[in-house]
Amino acid sequence: MKRLFISLLLLVPVMTFAGCGAGDDSSEIDIPEVPNDPGNDDDDNDNPGTVTPGNGKILIAWFSRWGNTNYAADVDATTGASILVDKGTRRGTTEMVARYIQTAVGGDLHLIETSEPYPTEFDDVRDQNHAEQAAGTLPALKNRIENMDQYDIVFIGYPNWALDVPQAIRSFLSSYDLSGKTVVPFCTHDGYGAGRTYNSVKEEATGANVLEGIAIEATDVPSAESQVQDWLERIGIEREEPQGASVRITAGGHTFTGEWLDTPLADEIRGMFPLTATLGRYGGREYYGSMPRRPTNTEEGQLRFENGDITYCPSNNTIAIFYAKADDPDMGQLTMRIIPIGKVTSDLMVFDEMDSRLEFTFDNIQ
């Protein structure tokens, strides 16, 4: 019985995505003859740290032991930390839920990290959590959102620890002015549901509109994506369509229309219009090629794409149009971070009919 009670304490988190080819600094945009594999670069850290504001108005923040504990490389995925194995990679349950949310509605991901990691032993974490809750300790946080003002909706995720939120969640919520924002809790647990965690989120998110949360048992997380989607529809949160200036893209005798995002990076690249680029096809999912010069308003980027996305890849200074395979388990997995700058609103099926290497021209619609 004692172990059953203790087991509610801990759940946890961790998923990836990229595409863009190698670039140069020549005066004309070009594509390498042999593209770098967009699925292989040195950036294999799945745990975002400090968030650089992205293109959306949604933030998905979460805390868990996974990402806040120095586990051994061979940590057992059946331990009390609720570590799961997904396609050979260890991931945590809370982050998996965060990724389900991002897939459904977009947004920026943020792992809440404490300055001091939590112990690896289950009983030690239990004792530390009980002591922190009893004393009202607010653990110091390692990272911070650079511009919380840009977000209208803040998802906040956590495991149920002793029927309440981990104290790191209180640290995070109390660090920002959330007045007027929509805050949405999501919780993973070991059979005890949300406990009093929703009330705790309301207490700390002063002035925010706190919506109905979702609590998912850790063992159910691998099959819970549709449950998360149903919940998001029920509470009325939908993916934001890009808003910005209309653009025209011509290639291979075809003309496409699109919307350019209203962000500093997108505005900077749009200032280069008319922009002509030689783009090559990769993997039946994208056309990409090098930029004439590197923009200065870059961001952290993201490891996912949607069909139709126009993106910039800061790793190798390339622009890309993703037109297919966002849901493909192989081609949809990216490890080079990309930054959306716009979206093609025309029929994407035309891209499959075009030559593998073409000159694309981007221009504003007057």
Side-chain angles (χ1 to χ4, degrees):
M1 182 64 184
K2 178 181 178 182
R3 184 64 182 180
L4 182 62
F5 173 76
I6 292 174
S7 66
L8 73 91
L9 263 175
L10 306 169
L11 292 168
V12 187
V14 182
M15 266 175 174
T16 331
F17 293 67
C20 23
D24 59 36
D25 294 322
S26 62
S27 59
E28 180 179 344
I29 301 177
D30 200 4
I31 183 173
E33 293 292 338
V34 181
N36 287 345
D37 180 0
N40 290 286
D41 78 344
D42 293 330
D43 182 10
D44 56 2
N45 178 13
D46 285 355
N47 292 325
T50 301
V51 165
T52 300
N55 300 307
K57 298 297 184 182
I58 297 174
L59 175 69
I60 308 165
W62 79 94
F63 168 83
S64 68
R65 283 187 70 201
W66 188 267
N68 281 285
T69 299
N70 296 326
Y71 289 113
D74 59 350
V75 60
D76 184 0
T78 63
T79 64
S82 297
I83 303 168
L84 305 176
V85 176
D86 178 62
K87 298 179 182 178
T89 301
R90 291 175 176 82
R91 310 196 188 280
T93 55
T94 308
E95 185 178 355
M96 289 186 72
V97 177
R99 299 274 175 178
Y100 293 156
I101 295 170
Q102 186 190 52
T103 297
V105 300
D108 298 331
L109 292 171
H110 176 72
L111 170 64
I112 300 169
E113 295 181 80
T114 54
S115 297
E116 297 296 328
Y118 279 80
T120 57
E121 294 298 323
F122 182 95
D123 290 348
D124 292 341
V125 178
R126 174 203 61 199
D127 294 343
Q128 180 172 333
N129 177 66
H130 286 170
E132 288 177 348
Q133 288 182 340
T137 301
L138 297 181
L141 301 182
K142 181 178 178 181
N143 46 21
R144 181 174 177 81
I145 307 298
E146 291 184 357
N147 183 8
M148 182 64 85
D149 290 344
Q150 78 153 16
Y151 295 108
D152 298 327
I153 300 172
V154 179
F155 288 88
I156 185 76
Y158 47 84
N160 178 331
W161 280 14
L163 299 178
D164 210 340
V165 296
Q167 290 297 103
I169 293 296
R170 295 183 185 273
S171 294
F172 178 83
L173 292 174
S174 64
S175 298
Y176 305 97
D177 180 5
L178 301 176
S179 301
K181 298 184 184 296
T182 297
V183 173
V184 192
F186 62 97
C187 172
T188 54
H189 63 90
D190 206 22
Y192 289 81
R196 53 179 171 267
T197 65
Y198 296 164
N199 286 335
S200 295
V201 170
K202 289 180 180 179
E203 291 171 2
E204 300 296 340
T206 306
N209 176 30
V210 180
L211 299 187
E212 169 194 346
I214 189 171
I216 303 174
E217 190 163 357
T219 55
D220 294 335
V221 166
S223 59
E225 186 166 11
S226 61
Q227 181 183 351
V228 171
Q229 292 171 345
D230 291 343
W231 163 64
L232 291 168
E233 291 179 7
R234 187 170 64 251
I235 63 177
I237 297 182
E238 301 176 348
R239 178 179 295 278
E240 288 186 339
E241 294 300 323
Q243 300 294 321
S246 297
V247 297
R248 179 187 299 109
I249 305 165
T250 56
H254 299 281
T255 299
F256 306 92
T257 55
E259 294 294 322
W260 215 244
L261 294 174
D262 184 15
T263 66
L265 174 62
D267 288 345
E268 182 179 1
I269 294 177
R270 186 171 164 236
M272 303 177 189
F273 286 6
L275 180 122
T276 298
T278 300
L279 307 184
R281 188 199 310 273
Y282 176 81
R285 75 177 182 191
E286 68 181 283
Y287 278 88
Y288 77 99
S290 302
M291 289 285 291
R293 64 179 183 271
R294 288 186 176 273
T296 58
N297 291 294
T298 56
E299 306 156 4
E300 181 183 24
Q302 61 192 43
L303 297 172
R304 61 180 177 82
F305 68 90
E306 295 179 23
N307 295 336
D309 278 353
I310 306 169
T311 69
Y312 174 72
C313 179
S315 296
N316 48 19
N317 191 39
T318 54
I319 189 170
I321 299 175
F322 288 87
Y323 63 88
K325 301 190 177 182
D327 297 326
D328 187 297
D330 296 319
M331 296 306 295
Q333 299 289 318
L334 307 180
T335 57
M336 294 180 73
R337 294 187 181 274
I338 57 173
I339 306 169
I341 53 177
K343 199 173 191 73
V344 175
T345 56
S346 301
D347 183 7
L348 298 176
M349 295 181 65
V350 177
F351 285 94
D352 277 324
E353 304 170 1
M354 301 195 313
D355 292 341
S356 61
R357 185 179 175 89
L358 289 167
E359 192 172 81
F360 282 68
T361 298
F362 299 78
D363 203 355
N364 295 311
I365 294 178
Q366 302 300 325

